[in-house]
Amino acid sequence: MLDNQSNHTPIAVGDGAAIPHKSDAGLFTAWRIAFFGSIVLCLFLAFGRPDQYMAIFKFVPDGILITFKVTLGAIVLAIVFGLIAGLGRISSNRFINGTASLYVEVIRGIPLLVQLFYIYYALGRFIKIPDMLSAIIAMAFCYGAYMAEIFRAGIQSIPKGQMEAALSLGMSRRQAMHQVILPQAFKVVLPPIGNEFIALLKDSSLVSILAVSDLLRRGREYASETFNYFETYTVIALIYLIMTLFFSKLISIMEERLNEGR
Amino acid sequence: MKDASRPMIEVCGVSKFYGSFQALADISFTVSDGEKVVIIGPSGSGKSTILRSINCLETIDRGSISVGGMDVSSPKTDICKVREEVGMVFQSFNLFPHKTVLENLTLAQTVVRKRSKKDAEEIAMELLRKVNIVEKAAAYPAKLSGGQQQRVAIARSLAMNPKAILFDEPTSALDPEMIGEVLDVMKTLAQEGMTMVVVTHEMGFAREVSDRVIFMDHGRIVEEGTPEHFFTAPTHERAKLFLSQIL
Ligand SMILES: Nc1ncnc2c1ncn2[C@@H]1O[C@H](COP(=O)(O)OP(=O)(O)OP(=O)(O)O)[C@@H](O)[C@H]1O
Ligand SMILES: [Mg+2]
């Protein structure tokens, strides 16, 4: 009871990248080898084999920027969708609950790639919006369903007594949710949201099929002109690896900070 | 308008079911202004359920409950208004872990009572002084002992200026050496004339402080009377047995 962390049932999240914790020595070492190894390998390729690789390294950075834009845009929007749907999933209103649950069930039952095509072309058919924006919306719509489950689990992990204490002080349900439950749930959901972010960063490569010039698509463009498939995809893979490893480290640091705080 | 003759809390023929299980069976009692009532009884007898029904954390299936003249069981009543008037202290304290002790006391004051931050803090500090924990105002609840947390919880409830406070086994989660400090705070409140309904296993407290003891078993009120009567000459076998086990 004194240790407020123990009140929260941790949320088990299977997908996403492995986040290197100090306590997991094996993974921690693996992270270091992979991260610094791929940076060294990149440097070696760029400067040791400049005639094959330098041009690739010059061609793809535009794509990195697009990949970031898509990932960031989609995660922010997915959090919004997820919070709304997550609150809907715990609503006592039958209609709201039903709608939110249907959204989650349907989305989770269709492969991400199929949804991307579907939403992208459906959006394109009815409204004229830029390719990248509809790709972001499509990604966010899918990830929102997973996010909803995270928010729902996060809110439900807060002990029942918290809501009761707030209500017994005269707060309305909405005030209690806003002032007492959500701020606590937020702390619980941050790590799994970090996980989703990394998963989304990787899955954002799927938008390369939708005429969005992200990292993977830039690689494909370069490779199909030069026929240097092996070299190009080596570089693409290394860059994705460095990005995901960098962010998983960042998230683990953030998580440690959170656990230290009070 | 306040009807002086009307009791502060009036429980009238209340029954409650969980599925087919009857948790409360035709419970009736009243608590008048300034009265201290202690509810005792074995585990599962419905003590928490009746307390929680009074401030509408549970709904009832039959009967009616009124608090300060407001009909709790009527759908027309604004439940938040009822809860503003009755405080509740839980066995598990239920302090808000993401807020400091001071913020725990000011939150509902500002959000519900619409007091300014400054006024709320002044009231809060005064109450913290009263429960003797003013030095922890800036600490987070996790840094406090159980006894300290419960005293803060009592102060938090007092900050809303309730007309009555319900206590649900306030000392049951505490280490023995901390029970005294919490009971002392409750005794002070009792002396000041606060209307209190206390579910407890602390028979010393019941004897010393209460005006009336209610003994419950299997969702029913089995015996009700003054502490002298109840502790020295209980009428019912169940009450005698319970007392012989607990004393
Ligand atoms: N949500 C619920 N669903 C089903 N049964 C419940 C629920 N809450 C309480 N009960 C049952 O109702 C009965 C009364 O419960 P209550 O919590 O009021 O007992 P109590 O007298 O406070 O006991 P204790 O001393 O253990 O706190 C118990 O038998 C309990 O199992
Ligand atoms: Mg109980």
Side-chain angles (χ1 to χ4, degrees), chain A residues 2 162 164 167 169 179, chain B residues 52 83 95 98 144 149:
Chain A
L2 290 184
Q162 290 291 309
E164 292 182 348
L167 292 179
L169 287 166
Q179 303 282 346
Chain B
R52 293 161 55 81
R83 291 183 179 135
L95 294 180
H98 62 301
L144 270 55
Q149 291 195 48

Side-chain angles (χ1 to χ4, degrees), chain A residues 1-4 7 160-162 164-173 175 179-181 183-184 262, chain B residues 52 55 80 83-84 86 88 90 92-99 107-108 111-112 140 142 144 149 156 160:
Chain A
M1 196 64 230
L2 290 184
D3 173 14
N4 70 45
N7 283 342
K160 198 164 116 265
Q162 290 291 309
E164 292 182 348
L167 292 179
S168 71
L169 287 166
M171 287 187 222
S172 64
R173 247 167 211 288
Q175 287 170 332
Q179 303 282 346
V180 175
I181 306 299
Q184 292 183 62
R262 35 183 191 276
Chain B
R52 293 161 55 81
N55 71 350
C80 292
R83 291 183 179 135
E84 278 178 48
V86 259
M88 177 122 186
F90 302 86
S92 52
F93 329 131
N94 296 344
L95 294 180
F96 306 135
H98 62 301
K99 304 253 177 212
L107 180 63
V111 172
V112 180
Y140 284 93
L144 270 55
Q149 291 195 48
R156 177 175 70 177
M160 297 297 288

